[in-house]
Structure formats: structure tokens, C-alpha cells
Amino acid sequence: MILLTGATGKTGSETAKALAKRGVKARALVRDAAKAQVLQAAGLELAVGDVADTDSVRRALAGVERLLILLPNSQRQVELEQQLVDLAKAAGVRHVVKMSSMEAVASASTPIPQGHWAVEEYIRASGMAWTMVKPNFFMQNFLASAKSIKENHSFSLPMGDGRTAMADARDIGAVAAEVLAGRGHEGRSYEITGPELLSFHDVAARFSEVLGARIAYVPADPAAYLGILKRVLNEWHANAVSQLFREIAEGPAPHVTDTFRRLLGREPIPLAQFIRDHIAAFR
Ligand SMILES: NC(=O)c1ccc[n+]([C@@H]2O[C@H](COP(=O)([O-])OP(=O)(O)OC[C@H]3O[C@@H](n4cnc5c(N)ncnc54)[C@H](OP(=O)(O)O)[C@@H]3O)[C@@H](O)[C@H]2O)c1
């Protein structure tokens, strides 16, 4: 049995869909069964609980051989993910798959990638088999700018002239599903990007082409943007996201990888396709 955490989120839901499409049996640990009805309809088994509640995690882990660790960024992410590793080991899980990030390296200097790296190291020391799924910036992040793109024909982010090799969450989920259901992925770290290295000016050009109207990228002042983040996120999270964005703005730019093509045997989704597939949100 495979257990997914984070299965109602952006990449976890795509992992669940990809597993269901492959006809693979899986269980999802979810906080809200109503929110997870679509997963149940796709054939997943639900275990209702919270990763912070060790009893519910122990129940969800019964009979599980492979576990996807996927949690949102928070001050407690490292502690909760390491606790999941300990509970998985005690429950006899053989293979842990971690949703990490491409920026998570030993020399990472900002809190979110540092946290991912700390959990990666903890998993590698656990004695269980492991695979790290390390995506670049999600295309789905632009859905947070959809209202502005639709109403003002512009979006504003503090990325300056920075570039990323953004990936679609559908492709990231497909890789996670392959790692969980396929063979030969133990001991591997997979850096996942989309097909192109793009600046945010390039992103605006892609939106303009697909939407048939000029969409402008307005580089935001990092300090002013931090103020905006603080209105919607707590202090730790706002500062952590702001530092991550500064890293993207100041580079170095990541490299485009061929991981997706090697593992799935098809091309990753380009940004123009992502925009077309979400056109109602942007136009
Ligand atoms: N965004 C990017 O560009 C990017 C790039 C690389 C890596 N990443 C990494 O990807 C991860 C986030 O992935 P995502 O965007 O797919 O996640 P997401 O959409 O934010 O979803 C988070 C998931 O975790 C679940 N969850 C949260 N707290 C929980 C708890 N206490 N117990 C059980 N479930 C809980 C949520 O359930 P509910 O539905 O109940 O809230 C939801 O299913 C982060 O670790 C991030 O660092 C992101």
C-alpha cells in the first residue's frame, strides 16, 4: 500500500490522479474528508487525520510500504516531516518519497530550502529506501496572479530579471507517481523542471501571446512585496518566501533538466500550454 500526505494540494492531488490513472492502490491521509471526495471518487482510500496527530498517522500507516511526505512550508514543516519519518520507520515502511525542492542543497542559505535539505538528510540517515522529488518553481504559482492578469493585464513579483525553469504541478505529480509505483528509483534525487528557462519578462510575453492582449510584468520592490506577504502569511512564512524570491531574483539561474522526459518518456508541459489549460482564470 502507498500512503500520500498532502493529497488535496497542488502536487499531491496530481500524484493521486496519476496513481489512480495507473490503477495503483493508494491511501491518502487527509484532514477533511469532504475536501477529498474527488480523491475517493478516483479510487483512493481515505484516512482522516492530521500529520501533527501521531495516532492518526499510525493508523494511516497500517500496511503501508511506500510513503509520500509532502507538506506546505511552515515553521513546523521540518519537525512534522521528521516525525513522519520516525513513524514510518516504526510502522515498517520500506521506501520514503519526499517532495523537496530544487533549491534544497547543502549550501542553501534561506529557510525553506534549508528545511527541505535537513529533512532529506534525516531521511537518508533513516535506513529506509528513499527518493527525493526536487521540483523548480511551480507554474501553478501564477494562479495567485490570475485576478491581476485578468483585470489589470499585469502581474507584479519581486523577481527582478531572475530566471526559473518552471514546471507544471501535473508533471511533478506524474513524476511522484512514477517514483511511488515504478521501480528502480531508490537512492535517487530527481530535479524536475519544465522545458524552458524563462525570465518573468518572458513569462509576460507567453501570457500576451496566448491571451492575445499585452500582459506586463512589473518587477516589485522586495521590501514593499514583503509588506504584502505579511498581510496574508505569518511573519516566519512571509520572510521565508521573500528570501526565496530574492534568491530567484539574484540567481544563479537553475538549469533545465531532462528528468521528466527520461522518467515519463514524453515532453514536459510548456508554460504556454499551462496558460491555455487555465485560460478561464486568466482571461
Ligand atoms: N510552489 C513552488 O513553486 C514549489 C517549488 C518547489 C517545491 N515546493 C514544495 O512543495 C511543497 C508544497 O506542495 P504543494 O504546493 O503541492 O502543497 P499545497 O498545495 O500547499 O498543499 C498542502 C497539502 O498539505 C496538506 N496539509 C497541510 N497541513 C497538514 C496537516 N497538518 N496534516 C495533514 N495534511 C496537511 C494540505 O491539506 P488541506 O487540504 O487539509 O489543507 C494539502 O493537501 C512545499 O514543501 C514546497 O516547499 C513548492
Side-chain angles (χ1 to χ4, degrees):
M1 174 61 83
I2 294 170
L3 179 67
L4 307 180
T5 55
T8 50
K10 289 184 284 296
T11 46
S13 62
E14 296 299 338
T15 308
K17 272 189 232 165
L19 285 171
K21 210 167 159 188
R22 295 169 72 130
V24 175
K25 219 171 156 222
R27 182 183 299 154
L29 174 65
V30 298
R31 294 193 285 194
D32 179 353
K35 196 173 170 185
Q37 266 176 6
V38 55
L39 299 177
Q40 202 168 22
L44 272 88
E45 195 182 293
L46 299 187
V48 178
D50 192 299
V51 294
D53 168 19
T54 52
D55 286 340
S56 65
V57 176
R58 276 193 200 95
R59 279 194 299 274
L61 281 168
V64 168
E65 294 192 322
R66 292 180 175 197
L67 168 68
L68 174 67
I69 296 186
L70 193 175
L71 282 180
N73 303 134
S74 77
Q75 212 161 357
R76 291 195 70 197
Q77 183 174 13
V78 172
E79 168 209 337
L80 290 174
E81 292 193 359
Q82 291 183 343
Q83 179 172 282
L84 272 174
V85 174
D86 294 342
L87 292 168
K89 187 163 185 185
V93 169
R94 289 191 303 104
H95 185 176
V96 172
V97 178
K98 157 135 176 84
M99 186 62 67
S100 178
S101 86
M102 202 158 150
E103 295 88 4
V105 291
S107 58
S109 57
T110 64
I112 293 171
Q114 279 175 336
H116 280 309
W117 183 255
V119 177
E120 286 193 22
E121 290 282 78
Y122 196 80
I123 293 169
R124 280 187 278 266
S126 72
M128 291 181 284
W130 54 265
T131 310
M132 309 304 169
V133 178
K134 296 167 76 82
N136 205 218
F137 192 87
F138 298 172
M139 290 177 188
Q140 276 69 10
N141 294 341
F142 289 109
L143 292 169
S145 302
K147 190 169 185 281
S148 172
I149 291 171
K150 196 178 223 178
E151 293 175 5
N152 310 325
H153 284 187
S154 70
F155 63 96
S156 187
L157 289 167
M159 310 306 198
D161 296 329
R163 292 183 296 166
T164 83
M166 51 198 72
D168 192 299
R170 291 171 289 182
D171 286 347
I172 300 163
V175 169
E178 164 56 31
V179 168
L180 288 160
R183 287 170 181 220
H185 302 300
E186 290 87 352
R188 303 289 179 93
S189 290
Y190 290 132
E191 294 182 332
I192 306 166
T193 71
E196 315 166 276
L197 187 58
L198 298 172
S199 73
F200 288 77
H201 302 284
D202 298 330
V203 169
R206 292 287 187 286
F207 272 104
S208 304
E209 280 160 31
V210 177
L211 301 181
R214 186 173 176 275
I215 305 298
Y217 163 52
V218 182
D221 169 61
Y225 198 80
L226 176 59
I228 295 170
L229 287 174
K230 282 185 176 170
R231 281 191 237 138
V232 286
L233 302 175
N234 67 35
E235 181 84 12
W236 180 90
H237 201 176
N239 283 319
V241 171
S242 168
Q243 288 177 59
L244 193 61
F245 283 3
R246 181 160 299 191
E247 225 173 61
I248 295 172
E250 293 173 1
H255 49 280
V256 171
T257 69
D258 65 353
T259 314
F260 182 82
R261 194 178 307 115
R262 277 193 293 114
L263 294 184
L264 276 300
R266 59 179 195 266
E267 295 301 312
I269 297 168
L271 182 64
Q273 185 63 46
F274 163 81
I275 301 168
R276 278 196 288 275
D277 292 343
H278 297 83
I279 201 131
F282 296 118
R283 187 162 65 190

